[in-house]
């Protein structure tokens, strides 16, 4: 056999995405280039690695075993490259972070200078809901997580970052309405919730339970961005994190509706497992956050104090 690392990388990506087109996009290659290398790789085996049924690509059982072996080889090669760079005094390796969806408005600013300073650090960041973030941390799949509600069942270390404020917001039809909405007024509002497993959903449900409110009509969407657009379109109102709606407030697409017990205030935290064997990259990132968080927050999120 005489396959190349390039062919291993292509087959591994095709196996992962189950698509030549998606693999070519992910690898920044043309589709014909991927197809040619995939064909050359297949020719070196007596058994099929994949099959096409209809228009769908399926990896065979044998192909799945080869894909797993390819991934192990590629990981080892990457580790060798990191070690070589580290030997020459460069910080090199992977930084894996899982964040809740609202944290996508903050984490890039906390990462930016660090990633620019260390060109050989590769960032892998998963943006999802709180339940999945906590699961990733618990399974040791990531180095860090950014959450506003700390998991109670995990032994963690943390760095407190900044306040997270959640307000009741509606579309422009609420412009000029009374400053404080009464209880009976709140209970007549069509409410838009995040999906189960979301920290924003939990905060909203806890607020409703605490104030013993009934819900007139409830909708559920799976992202804050989708909820924001739904509120702007007049589908209903929602309790949303302030950090994600600044521009819409400035453009008067959204209006803050004042109500008893609002805003809800939590705190963003960078967290990691106490038992985690931190890499040099992870330790360097902790130092970066501890030394620079106040300046970063002041520069990019000082406006939060105006609300």
């Amino acid at each position: 056999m005489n396959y190349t690392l390039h062919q291993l990388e292509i087959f591994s990506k095709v196996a992962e995405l189950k698509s030549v087109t998606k693999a070519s996009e992910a690898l920044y290659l043309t589709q014909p280039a991927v197809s040619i290398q995939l064909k050359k790789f297949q020719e070196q085996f007596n058994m099929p690695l994949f099959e096409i049924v209809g228009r769908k690509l399926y990896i065979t059982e044998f192909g799945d075993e080869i894909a797993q072996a390819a991934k192990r080889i590629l990981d080892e090669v990457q580790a060798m490259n990191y070690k070589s760079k580290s030997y020459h005094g460069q910080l090199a390796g992977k930084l894996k972070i899982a964040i809740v969806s609202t944290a996508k408005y903050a984490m890039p600013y906390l990462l930016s200078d660090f990633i620019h300073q260390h060109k050989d650090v590769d960032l892998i960041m998963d943006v999802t809901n709180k339940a999945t973030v906590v699961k990733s941390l618990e399974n040791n799949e990531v180095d860090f997580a950014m959450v506003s509600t700390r998991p109670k069942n995990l032994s963690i270390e943390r760095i407190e970052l900044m306040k997270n404020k959640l307000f009741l917001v509606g579309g422009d039809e609420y412009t000029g309405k009374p400053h404080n909405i009464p209880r009976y007024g709140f209970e007549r509002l069509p409410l838009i919730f995040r999906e189960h497993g979301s920290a924003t959903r939990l905060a909203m449900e806890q607020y409703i339970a605490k104030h013993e409110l009934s819900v007139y009509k409830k909708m559920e969407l799976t992202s804050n961005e989708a909820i924001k657009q739904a509120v702007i379109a007049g589908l209903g109102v929602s309790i949303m994190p302030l950090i994600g709606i600044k521009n819409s407030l400035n453009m008067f697409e959204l209006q803050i509706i004042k109500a008893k017990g609002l805003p809800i205030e939590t705190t963003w935290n960078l967290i990691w497992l106490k038992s985690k064997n931190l890499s040099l990259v992870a330790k360097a990132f902790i130092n970066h956050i501890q030394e620079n968080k106040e300046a970063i927050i002041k520069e990019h999120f000082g406006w939060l104090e105006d609300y």
Side-chain angles (χ1 to χ4, degrees):
M1 290 188 181
N2 191 30
Y3 45 76
T4 65
L5 287 175
H6 185 51
Q7 290 171 349
L8 286 175
E9 183 181 24
I10 285 174
F11 178 66
S12 179
K13 187 59 68 174
V14 169
E16 176 191 345
L17 299 177
K18 308 293 189 296
S19 166
V20 171
T21 301
K22 290 180 181 178
S24 64
E25 291 172 354
L27 295 170
Y28 300 100
L29 297 170
T30 64
Q31 190 169 329
V34 169
S35 297
I36 290 169
Q37 294 302 319
L38 189 62
K39 182 174 183 293
K40 288 181 177 179
F41 187 65
Q42 171 64 85
E43 288 172 351
Q44 298 182 70
F45 298 92
N46 295 324
M47 297 178 66
L49 300 171
F50 57 90
E51 55 187 1
I52 307 294
V53 180
R55 295 182 125 191
K56 290 188 176 182
L57 183 147
Y58 294 89
I59 304 299
T60 65
E61 183 177 351
F62 175 67
D64 186 58
E65 291 182 7
I66 297 300
Q68 291 178 41
K71 186 178 184 307
R72 288 194 296 270
I73 293 169
L74 292 168
D75 286 345
E76 285 298 320
V77 170
Q78 191 174 55
M80 287 169 60
N81 291 335
Y82 289 146
K83 287 176 183 177
S84 175
K85 290 172 181 176
S86 297
Y87 185 79
H88 288 90
Q90 298 169 259
L91 187 67
K94 289 182 180 179
L95 181 63
K96 298 180 181 180
I97 303 176
I99 64 173
V100 294
S101 57
T102 310
K104 68 176 180 270
Y105 299 105
M107 182 53 79
Y109 294 99
L110 297 166
L111 282 163
S112 181
D113 287 344
F114 181 78
I115 296 299
H116 284 305
Q117 289 166 13
H118 305 290
K119 303 293 186 182
D120 296 309
V121 171
D122 293 327
L123 172 66
I124 300 172
M125 186 164 72
D126 186 27
V127 183
T128 182
N129 63 34
K130 183 202 168 189
T132 306
V133 166
V134 172
K135 189 176 180 67
S136 296
L137 194 69
E138 185 176 11
N139 292 341
N140 200 31
E141 296 169 357
V142 295
D143 301 309
F144 302 104
M146 184 173 172
V147 294
S148 58
T149 306
R150 285 177 281 163
K152 295 179 180 178
N153 62 323
L154 298 180
S155 179
I156 60 168
E157 300 280 1
R158 73 183 180 107
I159 298 175
E160 187 175 302
L161 298 173
M162 61 188 185
K163 293 296 180 186
N164 179 37
K165 297 180 181 179
L166 297 94
F167 287 84
L168 178 67
V169 294
D172 60 8
E173 68 270 25
Y174 289 91
T175 304
K177 292 292 176 72
H179 286 296
N180 289 286
I181 190 166
R183 178 192 182 93
Y184 68 86
F186 185 99
E187 293 182 333
R188 293 177 182 176
L189 296 174
L191 297 178
I192 306 177
F193 288 75
R194 278 287 305 273
E195 79 283 6
H196 286 284
S198 160
T200 302
R201 165 75 173 245
L202 178 62
M204 198 165 170
E205 289 178 334
Q206 288 176 339
Y207 172 81
I208 290 169
K210 179 179 178 180
H211 295 275
E212 299 180 336
L213 299 167
S214 61
V215 177
Y216 154 64
K217 186 177 182 180
K218 184 165 75 173
M219 289 169 269
E220 183 177 302
L221 299 178
T222 56
S223 77
N224 283 326
E225 196 62 32
I227 289 176
K228 182 171 74 174
Q229 295 304 321
V231 173
I232 290 172
L235 276 176
V237 302
S238 188
I239 293 177
M240 300 192 69
L242 180 61
I243 197 171
I245 59 175
K246 177 186 178 183
N247 291 339
S248 294
L249 289 172
N250 289 342
M251 294 171 65
F252 303 104
E253 295 174 327
L254 293 178
Q255 301 292 326
I256 290 176
I257 305 170
K258 294 186 177 180
K260 182 180 178 182
L262 292 171
I264 301 166
E265 287 196 12
T266 59
T267 303
W268 288 113
N269 295 277
L270 183 73
I271 64 173
W272 63 96
L273 293 176
K274 275 188 177 179
S275 58
K276 177 74 175 177
N277 184 18
L278 295 172
S279 67
L280 291 176
V281 170
K283 290 176 181 177
F285 184 60
I286 289 173
N287 291 335
H288 171 77
I289 294 297
Q290 289 174 330
E291 292 173 6
N292 299 285
K293 69 169 186 173
E294 291 183 8
I296 295 170
I297 292 167
K298 183 178 180 181
E299 179 182 356
H300 298 288
F301 305 105
W303 61 270
L304 290 168
E305 299 301 323
D306 296 334
Y307 289 85

